[in-house]
Structures are given as structure tokens and as C-alpha cells.
Amino acid sequence: QKDKYHKICLKKQNVAAKELCKGLPSEFGTLLTYTRNLKFDETPNYNYCRRLLRDVFDSNGYTMDYVYDWTVKQEASSSPLASSRAHKDDEGQESGSNTLKKERDAADSRNDDVGHG
């Protein structure tokens, strides 16, 4: 049993990040390479990791509406109207997205000089 899991571990370690992230935005490969290169006891630069993912999020035109795939699926199974949860404000923005962006930008400006990013 131990040998089986050791072989699985070695296989996972030896698959290149480029191969694992084939067809995905390059930031996913960058994130995987970054995390693989961390030492066991090294604390990740979470701001850097979040920034990579946020860049993909923003470049794809997504907005933070606080509706997640798993909540929509949960609610859809209990209510036929639940999938129409994204609310728009007076300017057509999804609610919460402007506030979140301001908070996020403020946090980024405070933490940009920290760590590996």
C-alpha cells in the first residue's frame, strides 16, 4: 500500500506544470511552479498567489458577485428560481463588485512590497 502511494506521489511530482496546466491561462502554471518551489516550512506569499488568480479573473471580465458555482447548484436543486441570483445596481454593476475592488486595491497597495511577488 505504501509503495503504491509513493509511486503516485512521484508521478505527480514529475508531471511538468506546463503539461498539467495545458489549455489554461499561463498564471495557473506560474502558480503551480511557484508553490512547487516552496520549501516545506516556507510561508507562501499569499498576496502574490491571489494577485495571479485575480489577474486571470479580471482579464476574463468576471466580476465578484458572491455567487459561487456550488451555491448556485445547491440552490438550483432546491428552487427553480435560484439560478438568477446576480443582482445589478443602478449603474448595471453586479452588487458588491465595486466595494470589493476598492478593498482589494487598497490591500494590494499595502502589501505589494511583501515577499516573492
Side-chain angles (χ1 to χ4, degrees), residues 50-102:
R50 278 191 295 269
R51 189 172 32 245
L52 282 173
L53 296 173
R54 188 171 32 256
D55 289 347
V56 172
F57 185 84
D58 292 341
S59 69
N60 282 284
Y62 298 117
T63 56
M64 181 57 77
D65 60 5
Y66 301 98
V67 177
Y68 305 102
D69 292 349
W70 57 89
T71 30
V72 171
K73 288 177 184 175
Q74 260 181 345
E75 292 171 357
S77 66
S78 64
S79 167
L81 301 176
S83 61
S84 61
R85 299 233 344 152
H87 302 289
K88 304 280 184 181
D89 65 16
D90 293 337
E91 297 174 2
Q93 293 290 322
E94 294 189 21
S95 61
S97 62
N98 289 334
T99 303
L100 177 67
K101 182 162 179 28
K102 288 177 187 172

